[in-house]
Amino acid sequence: GAVVSQHPSWVICKSGTSVKIECRSLDFQATTMFWYRQFPKQSLMLMATSNEGSKATYEQGVEKDKFLINHASLTLSTLTVTSAHPEDSSFYICSALEGDSNEQYFGPGTRLTVT
Amino acid sequence: EDKVVQSPLSLVVHEGDTVTLNCSYEVTNFRSLLWYKQEKKAPTFLFMLTSSGIEKKSGRLSSILDKKELFSILNITATQTGDSAVYLCAVEPNQGGKLIFGQGTELSVKP
């Protein structure tokens, strides 16, 4: 099946700094990618829909100026958490929609810890 | 507001038992319902259901959808310790691919 990678797999940063997470579709092109956040013992919450070449669509309650999304190519979307705070510590998961099959493939996730 | 609710939230069984996990949903539009298994990392796909009454089966796992009553069940027979995971149900409301997830059911299978 199709493979989606994320980098880094885990990151620890200090409060106030910014962190960039990459999501890549390795063997297919994805015009649409999704970013989810998962807090401990909770389910996945959709943060935003990332479309190649256009602005991301954010879900209600997600600050677009804090979570910057760039989908500059058909295989790469990035999520930048700006001015991170401890409450941003979470598991961030991306998924990519494969155009031909319209199936969604998840990346392995990035665990962010803000100290 | 679109909503997906799973029950139970957690379940402890012994190896060999059969379990049934429930997922009910309320969405404005419905395209498909998906089941995922999550073990520490990102979810892995199990089933996608679009039509009522047609059982999907993969080994010891099976699932069925009832679009009239707006629910789905996931059955696992002859459970094994390797089945221990969080099982997530998600609904795709439209063709854009956006998924709405339920809270998940944490299954623990004891030897």
Side-chain angles (χ1 to χ4, degrees), chain B:
Chain B
E1 185 185 338
D2 295 341
K3 183 166 65 171
V4 178
V5 176
Q6 291 184 245
S7 65
L9 294 182
S10 66
L11 191 54
V12 180
V13 300
H14 287 95
E15 272 192 316
D17 288 350
T18 293
V19 297
T20 299
L21 310 183
N22 303 294
C23 175
S24 63
Y25 62 91
E26 291 176 29
V27 293
T28 310
N29 296 302
F30 177 88
R31 183 163 186 260
S32 64
L33 183 144
L34 301 98
W35 284 97
Y36 292 90
K37 179 182 182 182
Q38 186 176 27
E39 300 170 271
K40 303 290 184 187
K41 290 198 170 182
T44 53
F45 173 80
L46 294 176
F47 297 111
M48 182 170 75
L49 304 156
T50 56
S51 302
S52 271
I54 300 174
E55 185 184 52
K56 292 236 175 160
K57 200 168 169 65
S58 176
R60 296 176 293 103
L61 277 67
S62 63
S63 182
I64 198 161
L65 172 68
D66 185 329
K67 287 168 73 174
K68 184 179 175 187
E69 299 297 330
L70 308 183
F71 79 90
S72 173
I73 59 172
L74 175 69
N75 274 321
I76 308 175
T77 58
T79 52
Q80 302 171 358
T81 54
D83 295 327
S84 296
V86 174
Y87 289 84
L88 295 166
C89 171
V91 170
E92 184 183 9
N94 52 48
Q95 198 165 354
K98 171 179 168 177
L99 296 178
I100 301 166
F101 280 86
Q103 323 94 298
T105 293
E106 185 172 13
L107 174 66
S108 179
V109 182
K110 303 293 186 187

Side-chain angles (χ1 to χ4, degrees), chain A residues 32 34 36 38 41-44 46 49 59 91 93 97 102-104 106-109 111, chain B residues 6 31 36 38 40-43 45 88 92 95-104 106:
Chain A
T32 303
F34 301 93
Y36 294 87
Q38 186 176 34
K41 299 288 187 182
Q42 294 187 28
S43 192
L44 279 73
L46 180 65
T49 302
E59 294 300 302
F91 192 49
I93 305 173
L97 201 59
N102 209 36
E103 287 193 26
Q104 195 167 153
F106 283 87
R111 189 161 301 283
Chain B
Q6 291 184 245
R31 183 163 186 260
Y36 292 90
Q38 186 176 27
K40 303 290 184 187
K41 290 198 170 182
F45 173 80
L88 295 166
E92 184 183 9
Q95 198 165 354
K98 171 179 168 177
L99 296 178
I100 301 166
F101 280 86
Q103 323 94 298
E106 185 172 13

